[in-house]
Structures are given as C-alpha cells and as structure tokens.
Amino acid sequence: MSDVRHVLVLPDRDAAEEAAEALGARFGVDEEPRLVRDALAGEDDAEDAQWLVVLRDEAERLDAAELDAFAAEWDGWREEP
C-alpha cells in the first residue's frame, strides 16, 4: 500500500466543510478527510487563509482530473504532489 494523499485547496472554511462532506457521496471515501487552515506567511486574518481538505488514497483509486473538477465547484483546486 502506498501513502498517496490528495490535497484540495479551498477558499474558506465553509467551502472546505461542504467539500469534505460531499467527498463521501461523490467518491465513496470512507475515511473523513482532514481540514487544515493554511494561513499565508505572516497573515493572521481569517480572510487571508485558505483551507485544505486532505484525503488519503492508499488504493490510488481517485482520479486526479475528477478531483480537480470537484474542487473547482467550490472555487478551489487540487494541489499537485
């Protein structure tokens, strides 16, 4: 088994929470993704933060292009490894 992780970068917490909830229905993800606040260097303002949705894909069954399109629904993107 590999340690493949996908990181979706989303513009705010609400988008990240909605996307994390929708991942199970859309892609059959069993494990709940981690939500991580990613503030820009030196920025403490919540408006300047991005939110990351991190999900493991040890079986490597999730398609990168589908995840890109999924993240785009919330004005986000999938971070390339």
mmCIF file of all heavy atoms in Angstrom, residues 17-69:
data_model
loop_
_atom_site.group_PDB
_atom_site.id
_atom_site.type_symbol
_atom_site.label_atom_id
_atom_site.label_comp_id
_atom_site.label_asym_id
_atom_site.label_seq_id
_atom_site.Cartn_x
_atom_site.Cartn_y
_atom_site.Cartn_z
ATOM 1 N N GLU A 17 -15.642 22.537 4.438
ATOM 2 C CA GLU A 17 -16.543 21.627 5.154
ATOM 3 C C GLU A 17 -17.551 20.990 4.195
ATOM 4 O O GLU A 17 -17.815 19.792 4.272
ATOM 5 C CB GLU A 17 -17.260 22.370 6.275
ATOM 6 C CG GLU A 17 -16.336 22.699 7.443
ATOM 7 C CD GLU A 17 -17.004 23.540 8.513
ATOM 8 O OE1 GLU A 17 -18.092 24.118 8.274
ATOM 9 O OE2 GLU A 17 -16.421 23.626 9.608
ATOM 10 N N GLU A 18 -18.105 21.788 3.287
ATOM 11 C CA GLU A 18 -19.062 21.245 2.315
ATOM 12 C C GLU A 18 -18.393 20.214 1.405
ATOM 13 O O GLU A 18 -18.969 19.157 1.128
ATOM 14 C CB GLU A 18 -19.646 22.375 1.468
ATOM 15 C CG GLU A 18 -20.597 23.267 2.216
ATOM 16 C CD GLU A 18 -21.072 24.438 1.365
ATOM 17 O OE1 GLU A 18 -21.021 24.348 0.120
ATOM 18 O OE2 GLU A 18 -21.497 25.452 1.955
ATOM 19 N N ALA A 19 -17.199 20.534 0.940
ATOM 20 C CA ALA A 19 -16.485 19.611 0.059
ATOM 21 C C ALA A 19 -16.145 18.319 0.788
ATOM 22 O O ALA A 19 -16.289 17.229 0.231
ATOM 23 C CB ALA A 19 -15.219 20.267 -0.480
ATOM 24 N N ALA A 20 -15.693 18.427 2.034
ATOM 25 C CA ALA A 20 -15.341 17.234 2.810
ATOM 26 C C ALA A 20 -16.553 16.323 2.978
ATOM 27 O O ALA A 20 -16.436 15.099 2.872
ATOM 28 C CB ALA A 20 -14.765 17.638 4.167
ATOM 29 N N GLU A 21 -17.717 16.916 3.227
ATOM 30 C CA GLU A 21 -18.937 16.121 3.373
ATOM 31 C C GLU A 21 -19.334 15.473 2.052
ATOM 32 O O GLU A 21 -19.783 14.332 2.020
ATOM 33 C CB GLU A 21 -20.072 17.000 3.887
ATOM 34 C CG GLU A 21 -19.919 17.400 5.341
ATOM 35 C CD GLU A 21 -21.041 18.319 5.806
ATOM 36 O OE1 GLU A 21 -22.102 18.368 5.153
ATOM 37 O OE2 GLU A 21 -20.842 18.990 6.819
ATOM 38 N N ALA A 22 -19.168 16.196 0.958
ATOM 39 C CA ALA A 22 -19.580 15.688 -0.355
ATOM 40 C C ALA A 22 -18.638 14.620 -0.907
ATOM 41 O O ALA A 22 -19.038 13.844 -1.781
ATOM 42 C CB ALA A 22 -19.689 16.848 -1.341
ATOM 43 N N LEU A 23 -17.415 14.563 -0.422
ATOM 44 C CA LEU A 23 -16.455 13.574 -0.936
ATOM 45 C C LEU A 23 -16.954 12.146 -0.770
ATOM 46 O O LEU A 23 -16.772 11.319 -1.653
ATOM 47 C CB LEU A 23 -15.106 13.728 -0.234
ATOM 48 C CG LEU A 23 -14.210 14.825 -0.776
ATOM 49 C CD1 LEU A 23 -13.073 15.102 0.187
ATOM 50 C CD2 LEU A 23 -13.671 14.450 -2.143
ATOM 51 N N GLY A 24 -17.580 11.854 0.364
ATOM 52 C CA GLY A 24 -18.075 10.504 0.606
ATOM 53 C C GLY A 24 -19.116 10.081 -0.403
ATOM 54 O O GLY A 24 -19.053 8.986 -0.963
ATOM 55 N N ALA A 25 -20.068 10.970 -0.665
ATOM 56 C CA ALA A 25 -21.133 10.645 -1.605
ATOM 57 C C ALA A 25 -20.615 10.552 -3.034
ATOM 58 O O ALA A 25 -21.004 9.674 -3.793
ATOM 59 C CB ALA A 25 -22.237 11.694 -1.511
ATOM 60 N N ARG A 26 -19.747 11.462 -3.405
ATOM 61 C CA ARG A 26 -19.281 11.529 -4.792
ATOM 62 C C ARG A 26 -18.265 10.453 -5.116
ATOM 63 O O ARG A 26 -18.294 9.845 -6.169
ATOM 64 C CB ARG A 26 -18.675 12.906 -5.040
ATOM 65 C CG ARG A 26 -18.076 13.117 -6.426
ATOM 66 C CD ARG A 26 -19.091 13.528 -7.497
ATOM 67 N NE ARG A 26 -19.726 14.772 -7.219
ATOM 68 C CZ ARG A 26 -19.289 15.962 -7.621
ATOM 69 N NH1 ARG A 26 -18.201 16.053 -8.337
ATOM 70 N NH2 ARG A 26 -19.959 17.030 -7.322
ATOM 71 N N PHE A 27 -17.324 10.220 -4.192
ATOM 72 C CA PHE A 27 -16.216 9.317 -4.495
ATOM 73 C C PHE A 27 -16.173 8.059 -3.628
ATOM 74 O O PHE A 27 -15.275 7.251 -3.767
ATOM 75 C CB PHE A 27 -14.875 10.064 -4.337
ATOM 76 C CG PHE A 27 -14.711 11.191 -5.313
ATOM 77 C CD1 PHE A 27 -14.966 12.491 -4.933
ATOM 78 C CD2 PHE A 27 -14.324 10.945 -6.620
ATOM 79 C CE1 PHE A 27 -14.816 13.542 -5.825
ATOM 80 C CE2 PHE A 27 -14.173 11.983 -7.526
ATOM 81 C CZ PHE A 27 -14.418 13.284 -7.125
ATOM 82 N N GLY A 28 -17.122 7.915 -2.714
ATOM 83 C CA GLY A 28 -17.144 6.740 -1.861
ATOM 84 C C GLY A 28 -15.987 6.701 -0.862
ATOM 85 O O GLY A 28 -15.523 5.631 -0.496
ATOM 86 N N VAL A 29 -15.556 7.881 -0.427
ATOM 87 C CA VAL A 29 -14.458 7.974 0.538
ATOM 88 C C VAL A 29 -14.998 7.590 1.906
ATOM 89 O O VAL A 29 -15.952 8.193 2.396
ATOM 90 C CB VAL A 29 -13.870 9.406 0.559
ATOM 91 C CG1 VAL A 29 -12.825 9.552 1.639
ATOM 92 C CG2 VAL A 29 -13.313 9.757 -0.804
ATOM 93 N N ASP A 30 -14.393 6.568 2.524
ATOM 94 C CA ASP A 30 -14.853 6.094 3.825
ATOM 95 C C ASP A 30 -14.271 6.908 4.975
ATOM 96 O O ASP A 30 -14.954 7.219 5.937
ATOM 97 C CB ASP A 30 -14.469 4.623 4.025
ATOM 98 C CG ASP A 30 -15.188 3.718 3.039
ATOM 99 O OD1 ASP A 30 -16.329 4.033 2.655
ATOM 100 O OD2 ASP A 30 -14.602 2.694 2.647
ATOM 101 N N GLU A 31 -13.002 7.220 4.878
ATOM 102 C CA GLU A 31 -12.324 7.946 5.947
ATOM 103 C C GLU A 31 -12.597 9.438 5.807
ATOM 104 O O GLU A 31 -12.492 10.000 4.721
ATOM 105 C CB GLU A 31 -10.821 7.695 5.876
ATOM 106 C CG GLU A 31 -10.047 8.359 6.985
ATOM 107 C CD GLU A 31 -8.566 8.028 6.898
ATOM 108 O OE1 GLU A 31 -8.226 6.923 6.450
ATOM 109 O OE2 GLU A 31 -7.770 8.892 7.265
ATOM 110 N N GLU A 32 -12.949 10.078 6.908
ATOM 111 C CA GLU A 32 -13.233 11.504 6.858
ATOM 112 C C GLU A 32 -11.953 12.283 6.565
ATOM 113 O O GLU A 32 -10.929 12.088 7.211
ATOM 114 C CB GLU A 32 -13.822 11.961 8.187
ATOM 115 C CG GLU A 32 -14.296 13.380 8.149
ATOM 116 C CD GLU A 32 -15.093 13.756 9.383
ATOM 117 O OE1 GLU A 32 -15.694 12.874 10.008
ATOM 118 O OE2 GLU A 32 -15.093 14.945 9.716
ATOM 119 N N PRO A 33 -12.001 13.173 5.584
ATOM 120 C CA PRO A 33 -10.818 13.974 5.251
ATOM 121 C C PRO A 33 -10.467 14.924 6.396
ATOM 122 O O PRO A 33 -11.333 15.315 7.179
ATOM 123 C CB PRO A 33 -11.253 14.772 4.029
ATOM 124 C CG PRO A 33 -12.487 14.132 3.532
ATOM 125 C CD PRO A 33 -13.108 13.444 4.698
ATOM 126 N N ARG A 34 -9.202 15.308 6.463
ATOM 127 C CA ARG A 34 -8.750 16.299 7.449
ATOM 128 C C ARG A 34 -8.918 17.689 6.865
ATOM 129 O O ARG A 34 -8.623 17.918 5.704
ATOM 130 C CB ARG A 34 -7.264 16.100 7.771
ATOM 131 C CG ARG A 34 -6.992 14.934 8.658
ATOM 132 C CD ARG A 34 -5.533 14.834 9.060
ATOM 133 N NE ARG A 34 -4.944 16.117 9.385
ATOM 134 C CZ ARG A 34 -3.693 16.463 9.117
ATOM 135 N NH1 ARG A 34 -2.894 15.624 8.516
ATOM 136 N NH2 ARG A 34 -3.231 17.648 9.452
ATOM 137 N N LEU A 35 -9.370 18.622 7.692
ATOM 138 C CA LEU A 35 -9.448 20.022 7.299
ATOM 139 C C LEU A 35 -8.309 20.754 7.995
ATOM 140 O O LEU A 35 -8.111 20.607 9.192
ATOM 141 C CB LEU A 35 -10.779 20.645 7.723
ATOM 142 C CG LEU A 35 -12.038 20.045 7.116
ATOM 143 C CD1 LEU A 35 -13.256 20.793 7.619
ATOM 144 C CD2 LEU A 35 -11.989 20.073 5.617
ATOM 145 N N VAL A 36 -7.575 21.547 7.220
ATOM 146 C CA VAL A 36 -6.420 22.257 7.760
ATOM 147 C C VAL A 36 -6.489 23.703 7.288
ATOM 148 O O VAL A 36 -6.646 23.959 6.087
ATOM 149 C CB VAL A 36 -5.099 21.619 7.260
ATOM 150 C CG1 VAL A 36 -3.900 22.371 7.803
ATOM 151 C CG2 VAL A 36 -5.041 20.146 7.630
ATOM 152 N N ARG A 37 -6.364 24.631 8.223
ATOM 153 C CA ARG A 37 -6.316 26.053 7.869
ATOM 154 C C ARG A 37 -4.886 26.377 7.469
ATOM 155 O O ARG A 37 -3.947 26.089 8.194
ATOM 156 C CB ARG A 37 -6.738 26.912 9.055
ATOM 157 C CG ARG A 37 -6.726 28.404 8.757
ATOM 158 C CD ARG A 37 -7.202 29.186 9.990
ATOM 159 N NE ARG A 37 -7.202 30.596 9.737
ATOM 160 C CZ ARG A 37 -6.187 31.408 9.998
ATOM 161 N NH1 ARG A 37 -5.073 30.939 10.528
ATOM 162 N NH2 ARG A 37 -6.266 32.697 9.735
ATOM 163 N N ASP A 38 -4.738 27.009 6.323
ATOM 164 C CA ASP A 38 -3.419 27.343 5.799
ATOM 165 C C ASP A 38 -3.337 28.853 5.630
ATOM 166 O O ASP A 38 -3.759 29.389 4.619
ATOM 167 C CB ASP A 38 -3.189 26.633 4.459
ATOM 168 C CG ASP A 38 -1.806 26.875 3.894
ATOM 169 O OD1 ASP A 38 -0.866 27.059 4.682
ATOM 170 O OD2 ASP A 38 -1.679 26.869 2.661
ATOM 171 N N ALA A 39 -2.810 29.547 6.647
ATOM 172 C CA ALA A 39 -2.664 30.998 6.575
ATOM 173 C C ALA A 39 -1.411 31.340 5.794
ATOM 174 O O ALA A 39 -0.402 30.641 5.872
ATOM 175 C CB ALA A 39 -2.593 31.588 7.979
ATOM 176 N N LEU A 40 -1.495 32.394 5.036
ATOM 177 C CA LEU A 40 -0.332 32.859 4.314
ATOM 178 C C LEU A 40 0.710 33.366 5.314
ATOM 179 O O LEU A 40 0.366 33.840 6.389
ATOM 180 C CB LEU A 40 -0.730 33.976 3.348
ATOM 181 C CG LEU A 40 -1.780 33.574 2.310
ATOM 182 C CD1 LEU A 40 -2.227 34.794 1.524
ATOM 183 C CD2 LEU A 40 -1.239 32.516 1.381
ATOM 184 N N ALA A 41 1.953 33.265 4.969
ATOM 185 C CA ALA A 41 3.036 33.649 5.874
ATOM 186 C C ALA A 41 2.816 35.064 6.407
ATOM 187 O O ALA A 41 2.624 36.009 5.650
ATOM 188 C CB ALA A 41 4.368 33.568 5.149
ATOM 189 N N GLY A 42 2.806 35.190 7.721
ATOM 190 C CA GLY A 42 2.663 36.486 8.366
ATOM 191 C C GLY A 42 1.242 37.004 8.431
ATOM 192 O O GLY A 42 1.010 38.101 8.929
ATOM 193 N N GLU A 43 0.283 36.242 7.964
ATOM 194 C CA GLU A 43 -1.110 36.698 7.958
ATOM 195 C C GLU A 43 -1.897 35.953 9.029
ATOM 196 O O GLU A 43 -1.909 34.740 9.064
ATOM 197 C CB GLU A 43 -1.765 36.445 6.596
ATOM 198 C CG GLU A 43 -1.121 37.188 5.454
ATOM 199 C CD GLU A 43 -1.339 38.687 5.533
ATOM 200 O OE1 GLU A 43 -2.317 39.125 6.162
ATOM 201 O OE2 GLU A 43 -0.514 39.422 4.972
ATOM 202 N N ASP A 44 -2.550 36.700 9.899
ATOM 203 C CA ASP A 44 -3.393 36.094 10.919
ATOM 204 C C ASP A 44 -4.869 36.284 10.620
ATOM 205 O O ASP A 44 -5.722 35.688 11.252
ATOM 206 C CB ASP A 44 -3.080 36.689 12.295
ATOM 207 C CG ASP A 44 -1.722 36.254 12.796
ATOM 208 O OD1 ASP A 44 -1.315 35.125 12.461
ATOM 209 O OD2 ASP A 44 -1.073 37.029 13.500
ATOM 210 N N ASP A 45 -5.169 37.135 9.667
ATOM 211 C CA ASP A 45 -6.546 37.440 9.316
ATOM 212 C C ASP A 45 -7.195 36.228 8.658
ATOM 213 O O ASP A 45 -6.663 35.674 7.698
ATOM 214 C CB ASP A 45 -6.563 38.631 8.359
ATOM 215 C CG ASP A 45 -7.962 39.157 8.112
ATOM 216 O OD1 ASP A 45 -8.939 38.521 8.557
ATOM 217 O OD2 ASP A 45 -8.083 40.207 7.478
ATOM 218 N N ALA A 46 -8.344 35.824 9.157
ATOM 219 C CA ALA A 46 -9.036 34.645 8.615
ATOM 220 C C ALA A 46 -9.389 34.828 7.142
ATOM 221 O O ALA A 46 -9.480 33.858 6.403
ATOM 222 C CB ALA A 46 -10.300 34.371 9.427
ATOM 223 N N GLU A 47 -9.568 36.070 6.710
ATOM 224 C CA GLU A 47 -9.897 36.297 5.307
ATOM 225 C C GLU A 47 -8.738 35.959 4.380
ATOM 226 O O GLU A 47 -8.926 35.740 3.197
ATOM 227 C CB GLU A 47 -10.316 37.749 5.099
ATOM 228 C CG GLU A 47 -11.633 38.086 5.762
ATOM 229 C CD GLU A 47 -12.025 39.533 5.549
ATOM 230 O OE1 GLU A 47 -11.458 40.181 4.646
ATOM 231 O OE2 GLU A 47 -12.899 39.999 6.282
ATOM 232 N N ASP A 48 -7.518 35.946 4.917
ATOM 233 C CA ASP A 48 -6.343 35.647 4.107
ATOM 234 C C ASP A 48 -5.962 34.175 4.157
ATOM 235 O O ASP A 48 -4.933 33.790 3.617
ATOM 236 C CB ASP A 48 -5.150 36.490 4.576
ATOM 237 C CG ASP A 48 -5.376 37.960 4.300
ATOM 238 O OD1 ASP A 48 -6.001 38.271 3.272
ATOM 239 O OD2 ASP A 48 -4.931 38.781 5.111
ATOM 240 N N ALA A 49 -6.772 33.373 4.795
ATOM 241 C CA ALA A 49 -6.454 31.954 4.942
ATOM 242 C C ALA A 49 -7.119 31.142 3.843
ATOM 243 O O ALA A 49 -8.173 31.503 3.328
ATOM 244 C CB ALA A 49 -6.913 31.436 6.301
ATOM 245 N N GLN A 50 -6.474 30.047 3.488
ATOM 246 C CA GLN A 50 -7.077 29.040 2.624
ATOM 247 C C GLN A 50 -7.313 27.830 3.504
ATOM 248 O O GLN A 50 -6.687 27.669 4.542
ATOM 249 C CB GLN A 50 -6.129 28.660 1.494
ATOM 250 C CG GLN A 50 -5.809 29.779 0.558
ATOM 251 C CD GLN A 50 -4.746 29.381 -0.449
ATOM 252 O OE1 GLN A 50 -3.842 28.629 -0.138
ATOM 253 N NE2 GLN A 50 -4.858 29.895 -1.642
ATOM 254 N N TRP A 51 -8.199 26.981 3.062
ATOM 255 C CA TRP A 51 -8.463 25.750 3.797
ATOM 256 C C TRP A 51 -8.097 24.568 2.920
ATOM 257 O O TRP A 51 -8.396 24.548 1.726
ATOM 258 C CB TRP A 51 -9.928 25.689 4.215
ATOM 259 C CG TRP A 51 -10.166 26.591 5.377
ATOM 260 C CD1 TRP A 51 -10.353 27.943 5.338
ATOM 261 C CD2 TRP A 51 -10.175 26.224 6.745
ATOM 262 N NE1 TRP A 51 -10.494 28.423 6.603
ATOM 263 C CE2 TRP A 51 -10.400 27.399 7.492
ATOM 264 C CE3 TRP A 51 -10.038 25.016 7.415
ATOM 265 C CZ2 TRP A 51 -10.480 27.393 8.877
ATOM 266 C CZ3 TRP A 51 -10.122 25.007 8.796
ATOM 267 C CH2 TRP A 51 -10.336 26.187 9.518
ATOM 268 N N LEU A 52 -7.438 23.609 3.524
ATOM 269 C CA LEU A 52 -7.013 22.409 2.821
ATOM 270 C C LEU A 52 -7.886 21.244 3.253
ATOM 271 O O LEU A 52 -8.167 21.073 4.441
ATOM 272 C CB LEU A 52 -5.552 22.085 3.136
ATOM 273 C CG LEU A 52 -4.548 23.218 2.954
ATOM 274 C CD1 LEU A 52 -3.155 22.728 3.333
ATOM 275 C CD2 LEU A 52 -4.572 23.771 1.547
ATOM 276 N N VAL A 53 -8.306 20.451 2.303
ATOM 277 C CA VAL A 53 -9.003 19.192 2.572
ATOM 278 C C VAL A 53 -8.015 18.102 2.161
ATOM 279 O O VAL A 53 -7.669 17.989 0.982
ATOM 280 C CB VAL A 53 -10.313 19.091 1.780
ATOM 281 C CG1 VAL A 53 -10.976 17.742 2.024
ATOM 282 C CG2 VAL A 53 -11.256 20.237 2.135
ATOM 283 N N VAL A 54 -7.552 17.339 3.134
ATOM 284 C CA VAL A 54 -6.538 16.317 2.886
ATOM 285 C C VAL A 54 -7.200 14.950 3.001
ATOM 286 O O VAL A 54 -7.813 14.629 4.022
ATOM 287 C CB VAL A 54 -5.382 16.433 3.906
ATOM 288 C CG1 VAL A 54 -4.311 15.394 3.634
ATOM 289 C CG2 VAL A 54 -4.797 17.843 3.895
ATOM 290 N N LEU A 55 -7.073 14.159 1.935
ATOM 291 C CA LEU A 55 -7.656 12.822 1.987
ATOM 292 C C LEU A 55 -6.648 11.791 1.505
ATOM 293 O O LEU A 55 -5.874 12.038 0.595
ATOM 294 C CB LEU A 55 -8.943 12.744 1.165
ATOM 295 C CG LEU A 55 -8.885 13.048 -0.309
ATOM 296 C CD1 LEU A 55 -9.890 12.162 -1.019
ATOM 297 C CD2 LEU A 55 -9.223 14.488 -0.550
ATOM 298 N N ARG A 56 -6.657 10.669 2.195
ATOM 299 C CA ARG A 56 -5.760 9.570 1.835
ATOM 300 C C ARG A 56 -6.392 8.739 0.733
ATOM 301 O O ARG A 56 -7.591 8.562 0.684
ATOM 302 C CB ARG A 56 -5.490 8.701 3.065
ATOM 303 C CG ARG A 56 -4.650 9.431 4.062
ATOM 304 C CD ARG A 56 -4.228 8.658 5.270
ATOM 305 N NE ARG A 56 -4.614 7.269 5.338
ATOM 306 C CZ ARG A 56 -4.673 6.580 6.447
ATOM 307 N NH1 ARG A 56 -4.390 7.136 7.581
ATOM 308 N NH2 ARG A 56 -5.009 5.319 6.438
ATOM 309 N N ASP A 57 -5.521 8.251 -0.138
ATOM 310 C CA ASP A 57 -5.968 7.418 -1.256
ATOM 311 C C ASP A 57 -4.951 6.295 -1.435
ATOM 312 O O ASP A 57 -4.281 6.199 -2.448
ATOM 313 C CB ASP A 57 -6.083 8.273 -2.525
ATOM 314 C CG ASP A 57 -6.608 7.487 -3.711
ATOM 315 O OD1 ASP A 57 -7.246 6.429 -3.514
ATOM 316 O OD2 ASP A 57 -6.371 7.934 -4.843
ATOM 317 N N GLU A 58 -4.829 5.466 -0.407
ATOM 318 C CA GLU A 58 -3.818 4.407 -0.411
ATOM 319 C C GLU A 58 -4.017 3.412 -1.542
ATOM 320 O O GLU A 58 -3.058 2.852 -2.057
ATOM 321 C CB GLU A 58 -3.798 3.716 0.947
ATOM 322 C CG GLU A 58 -3.306 4.656 2.030
ATOM 323 C CD GLU A 58 -3.567 4.124 3.424
ATOM 324 O OE1 GLU A 58 -4.378 3.182 3.578
ATOM 325 O OE2 GLU A 58 -2.971 4.670 4.356
ATOM 326 N N ALA A 59 -5.253 3.209 -1.943
ATOM 327 C CA ALA A 59 -5.532 2.278 -3.038
ATOM 328 C C ALA A 59 -5.338 2.943 -4.398
ATOM 329 O O ALA A 59 -5.457 2.283 -5.428
ATOM 330 C CB ALA A 59 -6.957 1.738 -2.912
ATOM 331 N N GLU A 60 -5.066 4.239 -4.392
ATOM 332 C CA GLU A 60 -4.862 5.017 -5.620
ATOM 333 C C GLU A 60 -6.015 4.837 -6.605
ATOM 334 O O GLU A 60 -5.831 4.612 -7.783
ATOM 335 C CB GLU A 60 -3.519 4.672 -6.263
ATOM 336 C CG GLU A 60 -2.339 5.018 -5.378
ATOM 337 C CD GLU A 60 -0.997 4.762 -6.048
ATOM 338 O OE1 GLU A 60 -0.843 5.172 -7.219
ATOM 339 O OE2 GLU A 60 -0.137 4.162 -5.396
ATOM 340 N N ARG A 61 -7.232 4.981 -6.092
ATOM 341 C CA ARG A 61 -8.410 4.797 -6.922
ATOM 342 C C ARG A 61 -9.090 6.106 -7.306
ATOM 343 O O ARG A 61 -9.974 6.116 -8.145
ATOM 344 C CB ARG A 61 -9.412 3.868 -6.241
ATOM 345 C CG ARG A 61 -9.984 4.391 -4.960
ATOM 346 C CD ARG A 61 -10.990 3.388 -4.369
ATOM 347 N NE ARG A 61 -11.670 3.946 -3.221
ATOM 348 C CZ ARG A 61 -12.700 4.779 -3.281
ATOM 349 N NH1 ARG A 61 -13.174 5.153 -4.434
ATOM 350 N NH2 ARG A 61 -13.256 5.249 -2.176
ATOM 351 N N LEU A 62 -8.661 7.226 -6.714
ATOM 352 C CA LEU A 62 -9.270 8.514 -7.030
ATOM 353 C C LEU A 62 -8.569 9.149 -8.227
ATOM 354 O O LEU A 62 -7.341 9.206 -8.277
ATOM 355 C CB LEU A 62 -9.204 9.450 -5.819
ATOM 356 C CG LEU A 62 -9.940 8.957 -4.569
ATOM 357 C CD1 LEU A 62 -9.699 9.888 -3.404
ATOM 358 C CD2 LEU A 62 -11.418 8.799 -4.846
ATOM 359 N N ASP A 63 -9.357 9.622 -9.177
ATOM 360 C CA ASP A 63 -8.827 10.218 -10.394
ATOM 361 C C ASP A 63 -8.510 11.699 -10.164
ATOM 362 O O ASP A 63 -9.366 12.460 -9.700
ATOM 363 C CB ASP A 63 -9.861 10.069 -11.516
ATOM 364 C CG ASP A 63 -9.372 10.650 -12.809
ATOM 365 O OD1 ASP A 63 -8.484 10.036 -13.428
ATOM 366 O OD2 ASP A 63 -9.869 11.737 -13.182
ATOM 367 N N ALA A 64 -7.287 12.098 -10.505
ATOM 368 C CA ALA A 64 -6.836 13.475 -10.278
ATOM 369 C C ALA A 64 -7.716 14.479 -11.027
ATOM 370 O O ALA A 64 -8.078 15.525 -10.482
ATOM 371 C CB ALA A 64 -5.380 13.616 -10.687
ATOM 372 N N ALA A 65 -8.072 14.188 -12.268
ATOM 373 C CA ALA A 65 -8.890 15.117 -13.055
ATOM 374 C C ALA A 65 -10.282 15.287 -12.435
ATOM 375 O O ALA A 65 -10.828 16.399 -12.402
ATOM 376 C CB ALA A 65 -8.998 14.638 -14.494
ATOM 377 N N GLU A 66 -10.847 14.214 -11.930
ATOM 378 C CA GLU A 66 -12.157 14.303 -11.274
ATOM 379 C C GLU A 66 -12.066 15.111 -9.989
ATOM 380 O O GLU A 66 -12.969 15.887 -9.668
ATOM 381 C CB GLU A 66 -12.702 12.905 -10.988
ATOM 382 C CG GLU A 66 -13.142 12.167 -12.227
ATOM 383 C CD GLU A 66 -13.689 10.783 -11.920
ATOM 384 O OE1 GLU A 66 -14.161 10.534 -10.792
ATOM 385 O OE2 GLU A 66 -13.648 9.937 -12.829
ATOM 386 N N LEU A 67 -10.974 14.945 -9.240
ATOM 387 C CA LEU A 67 -10.786 15.741 -8.025
ATOM 388 C C LEU A 67 -10.578 17.212 -8.360
ATOM 389 O O LEU A 67 -11.037 18.093 -7.624
ATOM 390 C CB LEU A 67 -9.612 15.205 -7.202
ATOM 391 C CG LEU A 67 -9.867 13.882 -6.480
ATOM 392 C CD1 LEU A 67 -8.577 13.358 -5.871
ATOM 393 C CD2 LEU A 67 -10.942 14.042 -5.410
ATOM 394 N N ASP A 68 -9.874 17.503 -9.460
ATOM 395 C CA ASP A 68 -9.711 18.889 -9.911
ATOM 396 C C ASP A 68 -11.072 19.526 -10.176
ATOM 397 O O ASP A 68 -11.356 20.643 -9.728
ATOM 398 C CB ASP A 68 -8.870 18.951 -11.189
ATOM 399 C CG ASP A 68 -7.393 18.740 -10.957
ATOM 400 O OD1 ASP A 68 -6.897 19.051 -9.853
ATOM 401 O OD2 ASP A 68 -6.719 18.264 -11.889
ATOM 402 N N ALA A 69 -11.903 18.830 -10.926
ATOM 403 C CA ALA A 69 -13.234 19.336 -11.257
ATOM 404 C C ALA A 69 -14.088 19.488 -10.000
ATOM 405 O O ALA A 69 -14.838 20.462 -9.856
ATOM 406 C CB ALA A 69 -13.914 18.413 -12.259
#
